[in-house]
């Protein structure tokens, strides 16, 4: 799917981009739920597949953080005992060392600036975000979201996730098979609404 007019992919990210992404997140929810910009940058520098960003001019239009997490982290997410704010690079699975083991996926964040809502940017970001995992699709088991806002819950519902309860930090957890999520991301229906 093409990016909306005026947007471009950012393929090389710097600290100012991560600061902008954190500020964009803060326009929707409290910093207590946001991974610090320096740690998000460390994810990206260590594992570039964790972060997909679109920009317009010098401003971030939207971004996605999607990646496999270690089993203990996924189990803590399932139990509602893990907050994105505490996510470190060490929680991410190194795909360069993947040996066919099951991968559990975490859609940590998707944020789109208000001018780009309804423009198709959500769909474009998601399609770009799942691309690195397509060669591993047979190994990818489930994907989980940890939703702080009603808009996050609506997103999860729209993309076929089912609610599994609340976390200790008052968010709502949603889950589904990763292959089902990829099908939804690639569907024409969602492309028209993204």
């Amino acid at each position: 799917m093409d990016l909306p007019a005026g947007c471009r992919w950012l393929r090389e990210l710097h600290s100012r981009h991560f600061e902008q992404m954190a500020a964009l997140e803060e326009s929707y929810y409290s910093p207590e739920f946001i991974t610090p910009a320096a740690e998000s940058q460390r994810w990206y520098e260590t594992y570039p597949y964790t972060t997909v960003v679109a920009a317009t001019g010098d401003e971030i239009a939207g971004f996605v953080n999607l990646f496999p997490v270690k089993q203990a982290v996924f189990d803590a997410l399932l139990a509602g005992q893990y907050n994105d704010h505490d996510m470190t690079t060490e929680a991410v699975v190194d795909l360069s060392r993947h040996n066919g083991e099951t991968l559990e996926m975490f859609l940590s964040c998707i944020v789109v600036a208000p001018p780009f809502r309804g423009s198709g940017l959500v769909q474009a970001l998601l399609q770009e975000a799942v691309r690195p995992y397509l060669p591993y699709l047979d190994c990818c088991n489930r994907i989980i979201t940890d939703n702080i806002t009603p808009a996050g819950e609506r997103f999860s519902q729209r993309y076929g996730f089912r609610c599994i309860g609340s976390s200790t930090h008052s968010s709502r957890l949603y889950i589904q098979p990763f292959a089902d999520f990829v099908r939804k991301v690639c569907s024409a229906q969602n492309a028209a609404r993204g």
Side-chain angles (χ1 to χ4, degrees):
M1 177 173 197
D2 294 329
L3 286 170
C7 286
R8 62 185 166 76
W9 295 117
L10 285 183
R11 303 292 185 193
E12 190 174 318
L13 303 175
H14 304 285
S15 59
R16 72 179 183 281
H17 298 126
F18 291 93
E19 290 162 7
Q20 282 184 33
M21 286 185 271
L24 187 56
E25 281 185 270
E26 283 186 39
S27 67
Y28 294 103
Y29 41 84
S30 169
E32 70 188 277
F33 303 114
I34 299 170
T35 304
E39 188 61 34
S40 294
Q41 183 173 357
R42 199 168 145 236
W43 297 347
Y44 165 76
E45 290 173 347
T46 307
Y47 307 117
Y49 47 85
T50 60
T51 309
V52 172
V53 181
T56 178
D58 293 330
E59 297 298 316
I60 301 295
F63 69 96
V64 171
N65 296 122
L66 170 66
F67 44 83
V69 291
K70 293 182 178 167
Q71 189 64 53
V73 172
F74 194 81
D75 291 344
L77 282 162
L78 276 175
Q81 299 172 346
Y82 200 92
N83 184 334
D84 274 29
H85 185 270
D86 303 318
M87 180 71 64
T88 66
T89 303
E90 290 71 31
V92 179
V93 171
D94 182 351
L95 288 180
S96 72
R97 296 182 176 193
H98 184 257
N99 293 317
E101 67 273 13
T102 298
L103 297 172
E104 302 286 11
M105 306 297 291
F106 181 34
L107 178 54
S108 169
C109 189
I110 178 164
V111 177
V112 172
F116 294 95
R117 294 202 160 195
S119 69
L121 182 56
V122 167
Q123 194 71 15
L125 285 164
L126 290 172
Q127 287 177 1
E128 189 69 12
V130 300
R131 191 179 320 278
Y133 308 111
L134 296 180
Y136 305 93
L137 198 54
D138 289 345
C139 299
C140 293
N141 187 23
R142 297 168 291 180
I143 180 170
I144 193 168
T145 61
D146 185 5
N147 302 272
I148 301 300
T149 65
E153 285 199 76
R154 287 190 300 275
F155 165 86
S156 290
Q157 292 162 0
R158 176 176 147 202
Y159 278 88
F161 289 84
R162 67 177 173 80
C163 185
I164 57 171
S166 298
S167 72
T168 57
H169 48 279
S170 301
S171 62
R172 301 284 287 165
L173 302 165
Y174 284 75
I175 197 166
Q176 73 173 304
F178 187 69
D180 291 352
F181 177 67
V182 170
R183 278 191 289 278
K184 284 274 192 184
V185 164
C186 297
S187 77
Q189 177 185 6
N190 277 326
R193 294 168 30 186

